[in-house]
Amino acid sequence: MVMWSSLSEWFWQDRFWLPPNNTWALLEDRDGLVFAHPRDLLAALPLALALVVMRFTFERFVGLPLSRLLGVRDQARKPVKPNATLEKYFLTKGWKPKEPQMALLAAQCGLTLQQTQRWFRRRRNQDRPCLTKKFCEASWRFSFYACAFFGGLSILYHESWLWRPEMCWDNYPVQPLKPALYCWYLLELSFYISLLMTLPFDVRRKDFKEQVAHHFVTIILISFSYSSNLLRIGSLVLLLHDASDYLLEAGKMFNYTPWRKVCDTLFIVFSLVFFYTRLVLFPTRILYTTYYDSIAQWDTFFGYYFCNALLMALQLLHVFWSCLILRMIYSFVKKGRMEKDVRSDVEESDSSDGEVAQEHLLLKNGAAHRPGVAPADGPRSRLVGRVANGHTATT
């Protein structure tokens, strides 16, 4: 206990987290004024658990019926024949064996190479989440982000620092805590903690590591900004993020439905809002004021560097996701419609591109003239030729 007390006392030194010549004593509650205290954040843990329960309840009783109403249909999957050898390899060594290893496994199991490849494709599909699950997750996030954005906007609308970010530093750090801002801040922190808690059960996307990094940076930023009474600038960061997040989740919801035009429209609106808030407003208004306006009256201190380092990490993630969005925009312009989220793991068909190309090669070499093989000028051959030449879109 003595060691913990000493460590806590060292960690919360004034010179680390507050501007020079300011102490924590200035932020003690007095004369009816309430200030932010780090211990207040402990309430986020039980609230995060409550949000997890709310999420699964929402997905079961709201998201699932809504998915059926909007026409979400899960693709029928062919069952995988039990095979102990292939299953052991799949679980211990990987989902996608190389062709030499695939041939070795085929020989061990008495199967052809194509049968072994088909088994692995079906087995991979078996572990992929269905569209209904993806829709339910997106509907929960959409509901939260929409409520958080419009709720936060209503709280900040009449605050001077929403329209003039330099006002975030007016009389800092002696800025009393407003109850509505505290509730909104605590709810946002609880939500991101709940996202980390449910990561093992969520749909795993290709930007999984970036998502985890984003959640950690956001949780640290919220906790640090609250503890250092930086709620004004922290609230602007949260609002800018929520402004595009609910549009993203809405677009993902309709991407899983037959409502293609609605999905395409939402994607365009989301892209415009994302680029404006994350690549224009965030660096020019948020980063600028934290780098320059924040130290107009004081010298730099550790909290200044720590805060700006985390904000720069967020900006790097913004650039990463902007590149993904640009790839989707390129696909959208080229094909005239939204195909899919580039972060998603796409379900595979029973016939892979390699098998189709191999069949086309056999047909070109005259194998189609053997007994039991379709003639080279038949409809199946023409279809294979079109696929091999890239005239038919793969699924």
Side-chain angles (χ1 to χ4, degrees), residues 26 37 43 48 74 85 90 99 124 131 133 190 205 227 243 267 349 364 386:
L26 292 173
H37 302 290
D74 295 326
T85 302
F90 182 88
E99 189 165 340
R124 288 193 293 269
L131 290 182
K133 177 174 174 58
S190 303
R205 302 183 185 277
S227 301
F267 171 69
S349 63
K364 287 181 65 177
R386 290 177 61 201

Side-chain angles (χ1 to χ4, degrees), residues 141 194-203 208 211-212 215:
R141 289 193 173 104
S194 72
L195 288 183
L196 281 181
M197 294 169 64
T198 57
L199 272 178
F201 313 104
D202 289 346
V203 175
F208 175 80
Q211 280 186 322
V212 173
H215 296 342

Side-chain angles (χ1 to χ4, degrees), residues 135-171:
F135 179 93
C136 289
E137 282 189 14
S139 64
W140 163 250
R141 289 193 173 104
F142 164 77
S143 301
F144 178 86
Y145 286 133
C147 293
F149 173 69
F150 290 106
L153 188 61
S154 66
I155 293 172
L156 300 181
Y157 187 79
H158 298 291
E159 301 292 351
S160 60
W161 68 83
L162 176 62
W163 314 105
R164 297 174 57 201
E166 62 271 15
M167 294 300 295
C168 291
W169 316 107
D170 183 42
N171 202 35

